[in-house]
Amino acid sequence: SLGALVCDLEPGTIPASHPDILEKLKLCPALTGAQQDALNALLLSGDTAYGDPSSWDLQTLQDLGPLVLALNQTTLSLVAEAAREDFRRSIAAAYISQGRSQREKSLTLLRALAAASGASQPRLQRSADRCPWGPITASNIEDVALLSPEELDLCLSNAVLVDNLEAVLDLPITSQANLVLKKKVDEFFQESGIPEEKLRHLGMLSRLYTEEEISHWQVTSSDTLSALLSDSGGEWSDSQVQQLLSRYLALGGSLTGPLLQEIGGKHLCNLQEEQIQQIPAAAIGTAGKLDISSCSQTKKDQLYRKAQEAFSSLASSPGSYYCQIHPYLGGAPAEDLKDLANADVAINMDLGTFLALNPEELQKLSVTDVKHLLGKNLPELKEHEHEPLVVSWVQQQSQKELDCVLGIGLQGGRPEPTGTASPAATSTATVTTPAGVTSMATVTTPAPTTPAGVTSSATVITPVPTTPASVTSTATVTTPASVTSTATVTTPAGVTSMATVTTPASVTSMATATSTATVT
């Protein structure tokens, strides 16, 4: 048994294989284009359990299972029209209960069957002005999925469509058919405009309207706006959402928390600053976590102030406050970030939030601020050291502080300043006193980096046995800074005494020395 290997068979071997090969091919998740061509060749031969395609009925098409997705126009065109119609109806009936991926397959099949019908039996001539199948009514509204765009235009009246709009939009409709439906809706409400009640049910058709057309809609209810913004209708363009919201606000509407959730951060950032200013702070409080990373800095600042007001009651509980306000911290000033950093509890800011902070405000944070903000997430900062925001912040910090406070190996900070000192020098000055006593006064001064003049005075009191009994002499010595000076004073008694004086640079100080002379 080939088992799963059958999915890798060369296309040329499929027509020559045993007819049972088809059952094994059903197990393959997908077939290549060449394998699909080979499969159709085998089926067209009629030499399989399914027989000739011209003999197939609804049951045969259903028995083919996933292989029906590989059928080409040649094979499908040989299937009886009645069998194709029955098959299309069965697909349309199951469509509503199918998941997304299965719906995509169903749409593929419906398009293929419609194309085959047009190729085999071109029943609708361009000059025709009536529906070839009979009009679509509420009782057979599901037949809309079976009609080509041209048939849809002829068989479905505007009134029946408007009355059954939700039911029709639940069916598998091609993009070309949607254009026909939009045209019919516009024709029906040409005079009065689409009423708000019907706007809520436009679904995917709403995405086909231009900004100019949206500007005339009567969107006054938050329920209507919420229904229009629902993901079930598909993606809106940024300009469409902006126009839709502008129209709603212009008609007196207010943006609530649930509406902000429907709008989403991306579309919220497309609002004008004046429109963002109209958002009540309470709405931010109930909007959940909005991603405002695509907003301009001015809009981030606006939304932060509103969030700050919305969560002010939690300010005394830093942990809870941070959990609510962190999506909006991209607009926070440095002062508020410092308050969070100095909170009594660790907030452990994640790196995503940290890197989304206002770059100008981040530069105002100290190394300690950043350490306290990140908490247990601090080591992750090393992984983002090459982010421009981190690089510029690091360059403004002391490298020593980065090493000692953070200790995670960040490099690029400011180096510590360095200085040099000059060695001390010694000079000697000699002073003679009237008493004739020689005294030595040593003056020491600190050593700055450049010389500075220092004037020091040494006063020596020398008692002697003759009159006068004591002599007071004053010696003034000028020395360069960082110099130890020695002053020698001679007294009449012939006695030499030593006095040491220390003076600071550029300071005049008085040194008093007392010497005693012995006379024989």
Side-chain angles (χ1 to χ4, degrees), residues 14-15 17 25 43 52 61 123 142 190 193 238 244 267 300 322 325 374 416 490:
I14 293 178
S17 301
L25 287 174
L43 290 170
D52 190 272
L61 290 168
R123 300 157 298 148
E142 67 277 0
Q190 185 174 7
D238 292 342
L244 181 59
H267 293 309
K300 288 179 181 178
Y322 172 75
I325 204 169
L374 296 179
E416 290 297 305
T490 303

Side-chain angles (χ1 to χ4, degrees), residues 356-420:
L357 297 176
N358 184 341
E360 292 185 6
E361 300 302 315
L362 177 60
Q363 304 310 313
K364 301 175 185 177
L365 301 181
S366 68
V367 174
T368 302
D369 290 335
V370 170
K371 179 181 180 180
H372 290 166
L373 278 176
L374 296 179
K376 67 180 183 181
N377 296 320
L378 178 62
E380 295 181 29
L381 185 60
K382 174 66 177 176
E383 301 172 12
H384 299 272
E385 63 180 333
H386 299 301
E387 294 279 349
L389 191 70
V390 178
V391 172
S392 59
W393 178 78
V394 166
Q395 290 174 343
Q396 297 189 49
Q397 313 307 316
S398 160
Q399 184 60 53
K400 181 178 180 181
E401 196 172 6
L402 291 171
D403 294 339
C404 297
V405 177
L406 299 187
I408 59 175
L410 290 181
Q411 298 297 318
R414 293 181 289 102
E416 290 297 305
T418 57
T420 57

Side-chain angles (χ1 to χ4, degrees), residues 428-430 438-442 458 460 485-489 496-500 513:
T428 302
T430 301
T438 301
S439 300
M440 300 299 292
T442 301
V460 183
S485 304
T486 302
T488 303
V489 184
T496 302
S497 63
M498 304 294 293
T500 301

Side-chain angles (χ1 to χ4, degrees), residues 2 5-19 21-22 25 34-35 38-39 41-42:
L2 290 173
L5 294 177
V6 72
C7 299
D8 298 323
L9 280 177
E10 288 295 326
T13 64
I14 293 178
S17 301
H18 191 279
I21 194 70
L22 295 178
L25 287 174
Q35 286 176 324
L39 169 65
L42 178 57

Side-chain angles (χ1 to χ4, degrees), residues 199-213:
L199 286 175
R200 300 179 189 179
H201 305 300
L202 281 181
M204 65 185 74
L205 292 186
S206 63
R207 276 58 170 175
L208 301 178
Y209 284 80
T210 66
E211 290 80 0
E212 171 61 24
E213 291 172 318

Side-chain angles (χ1 to χ4, degrees), residues 44-331:
L44 287 171
S45 71
D47 189 19
T48 68
Y50 301 101
D52 190 272
S54 61
S55 66
W56 292 353
D57 57 14
L58 173 61
Q59 188 61 53
T60 309
L61 290 168
Q62 291 176 336
D63 290 343
L64 281 168
L67 295 182
V68 75
L69 291 167
L71 300 181
N72 59 26
Q73 290 298 303
T74 301
T75 304
L76 284 173
S77 64
L78 295 176
V79 179
E81 179 67 22
R84 290 201 303 265
E85 290 291 345
D86 290 342
F87 192 41
R88 282 167 52 171
R89 289 176 185 275
S90 68
I91 295 172
Y95 180 84
I96 296 175
S97 61
Q98 291 174 342
R100 183 169 183 175
S101 61
Q102 188 58 43
R103 282 191 172 194
E104 292 176 356
K105 294 178 181 178
S106 294
L107 282 174
T108 300
L109 271 175
L110 288 171
R111 295 186 185 107
L113 290 167
S117 294
S120 62
Q121 298 180 25
R123 300 157 298 148
L124 194 63
Q125 301 299 319
R126 291 184 181 275
S127 60
D129 58 357
R130 62 184 179 84
C131 175
W133 307 105
I136 298 294
T137 64
S139 62
N140 65 341
I141 197 69
E142 67 277 0
D143 287 351
V144 166
L146 309 177
L147 303 179
S148 67
E150 294 83 1
E151 292 171 335
L152 187 61
D153 194 20
L154 293 172
C155 299
L156 178 64
S157 71
N158 297 348
V160 171
L161 170 61
V162 171
D163 289 342
N164 299 274
L165 190 58
E166 287 183 85
V168 170
L169 295 179
D170 279 338
L171 298 171
I173 305 295
T174 65
S175 56
Q176 293 82 1
N178 276 330
L179 292 173
V180 174
L181 297 179
K182 176 185 179 297
K183 179 179 73 72
K184 288 182 169 295
V185 170
D186 292 343
E187 288 174 351
F188 188 82
F189 295 111
Q190 185 174 7
E191 299 297 330
S192 60
I194 304 174
E196 187 161 9
E197 174 62 28
K198 290 301 179 182
L199 286 175
R200 300 179 189 179
H201 305 300
L202 281 181
M204 65 185 74
L205 292 186
S206 63
R207 276 58 170 175
L208 301 178
Y209 284 80
T210 66
E211 290 80 0
E212 171 61 24
E213 291 172 318
I214 292 172
S215 69
H216 299 290
W217 284 356
Q218 291 300 308
V219 187
T220 62
S221 166
S222 61
D223 290 339
T224 302
L225 182 60
S226 180
L228 286 168
L229 291 171
S230 173
D231 291 337
S232 61
E235 285 291 324
W236 286 98
S237 71
D238 292 342
S239 58
Q240 284 176 313
V241 173
Q242 184 172 351
Q243 182 59 65
L244 181 59
L245 295 176
S246 296
R247 179 62 173 165
Y248 172 72
L249 293 172
L251 294 175
S254 177
L255 295 177
T256 63
L259 278 178
L260 291 178
Q261 286 182 318
E262 292 280 359
I263 295 169
K266 174 186 173 183
H267 293 309
L268 181 64
C269 292
N270 287 324
L271 290 177
Q272 298 174 2
E273 293 173 13
E274 296 77 11
Q275 293 171 326
I276 289 180
Q277 197 58 41
Q278 295 181 48
I279 300 175
I284 295 293
T286 57
K289 297 179 180 180
L290 297 175
D291 180 6
I292 63 170
S293 58
S294 61
C295 287
S296 67
Q297 189 58 57
T298 300
K299 293 176 183 178
K300 288 179 181 178
D301 295 346
Q302 285 181 294
L303 291 168
Y304 170 74
R305 289 191 292 270
K306 291 183 177 295
Q308 191 178 32
E309 180 182 347
F311 304 121
S312 59
S313 62
L314 299 174
S316 59
S317 303
S320 299
Y321 178 72
Y322 172 75
C323 286
Q324 296 297 325
I325 204 169
H326 88 267
Y328 308 96
L329 287 178

